[in-house]
């Protein structure tokens, strides 16, 4: 097995362990790990990204935010670049939700290219998921508001990856949301 494949498998295993008891908010209660794997898959198969550190960061992008994982733990296990990318896309859960959302819009244009790739793929995955099924307790208005907010984040990521941006543009267009 080549070194990159081994690194990715080790990263998937770490993320799976960290997210093992988490579920998505869809009616099926999909295992949460499907999300980071899906984000990495979008980057690799749809956007043609081969940067292993970006793919690792995609697999780990919610570990600090949603599990007991620390930035130091990621840096020790996966190195400073992967840890930095994850840190750039991690929300501060001590802040109110609306403030976290506002900061994502504000910070998006200032992220590294690598973090912007992860953010684009994350938004694409989440929007596709919302089109597939509505999370438990979400109204159509809340889904629409998520699309509007996501378009503001994506606007700050323009010029990062044409393929991902075109796919996002199409989703926004289908919902009548301006990018």
């Amino acid at each position: 097995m080549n070194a990159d494949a081994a690194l990715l498998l080790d990263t998937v295993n770490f993320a799976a362990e960290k997210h093992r008891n988490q579920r998505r908010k869809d009616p099926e209660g999909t295992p949460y790990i499907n999300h980071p794997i899906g984000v990495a898959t979008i980057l690799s198969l749809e956007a043609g990204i081969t940067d292993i550190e970006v793919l690792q960061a995609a697999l780990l992008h919610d570990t600090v935010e949603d599990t007991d994982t620390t930035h130091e733990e990621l840096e020790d296990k996966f190195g400073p670049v992967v840890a930095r990318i994850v840190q750039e896309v991690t929300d501060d859960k001590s802040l109110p939700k609306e403030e976290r959302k506002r900061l994502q819009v504000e910070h998006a244009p200032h992220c590294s290219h690598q973090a912007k790739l992860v953010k684009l793929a994350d938004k694409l995955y989440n929007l596709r998921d919302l089109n597939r099924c509505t999370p438990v307790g979400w109204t159509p208005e809340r889904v629409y508001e998520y699309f509007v907010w996501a378009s503001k984040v994506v606007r700050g990521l323009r010029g990062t990856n044409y393929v991902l941006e075109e796919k996002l543009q199409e989703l926004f267009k289908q919902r009548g949301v301006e990018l």
Side-chain angles (χ1 to χ4, degrees):
M1 177 179 302
N2 75 33
D4 287 346
L7 260 176
L8 286 176
L9 287 173
D10 186 42
T11 307
V12 168
N13 186 63
F14 180 91
E17 283 296 317
K18 291 296 186 168
H19 291 296
R20 73 182 169 276
N21 296 320
Q22 297 174 323
R23 302 275 176 212
R24 296 285 283 177
K25 295 176 183 173
D26 58 16
E28 298 88 24
T30 304
Y32 193 87
I33 191 60
N34 291 14
H35 169 65
I37 291 171
V39 172
T41 300
I42 287 169
L43 286 168
S44 177
L45 299 184
E46 295 183 53
I49 302 304
T50 57
D51 180 333
I52 292 302
E53 290 167 321
V54 169
L55 298 175
Q56 287 181 282
L59 291 164
L60 300 167
H61 79 273
D62 281 335
T63 56
V64 173
E65 188 173 318
D66 293 338
T67 76
D68 63 357
T69 307
T70 65
H71 174 75
E72 293 74 26
E73 184 178 7
L74 289 183
E75 189 165 342
D76 289 346
K77 183 149 180 67
F78 300 106
V81 174
V82 172
R84 175 192 47 80
I85 298 167
V86 172
Q87 186 171 28
E88 285 185 80
V89 300
T90 298
D91 287 348
D92 180 349
K93 288 295 255 278
S94 71
L95 298 173
K97 183 179 179 179
E98 288 306 312
E99 178 66 3
R100 293 192 311 262
K101 289 173 75 174
R102 185 190 70 75
L103 287 171
Q104 272 202 46
V105 173
E106 184 180 303
H107 291 154
H110 310 291
C111 289
S112 68
H113 182 76
Q114 293 167 309
K116 287 179 178 181
L117 288 168
V118 174
K119 279 187 163 295
L120 283 171
D122 182 40
K123 293 295 179 261
L124 183 56
Y125 184 98
N126 285 335
L127 295 173
R128 284 175 173 169
D129 213 32
L130 281 174
N131 278 341
R132 182 183 64 81
C133 69
T134 304
V136 175
W138 281 44
T139 63
E141 294 78 20
R142 184 169 177 192
V143 171
Y144 180 77
E145 288 168 6
Y146 185 92
F147 270 81
V148 170
W149 166 74
S151 74
K152 293 175 184 174
V153 176
V154 170
R155 200 172 297 137
L157 302 171
R158 279 189 176 146
T160 302
N161 182 281
Y162 177 79
V163 172
L164 296 178
E165 291 168 45
E166 283 296 306
K167 291 173 186 272
L168 283 157
Q169 173 66 40
E170 184 56 36
L171 289 176
F172 292 129
K173 184 178 171 185
Q174 290 170 9
R175 288 283 180 156
V177 174
E178 193 69 35
L179 182 58

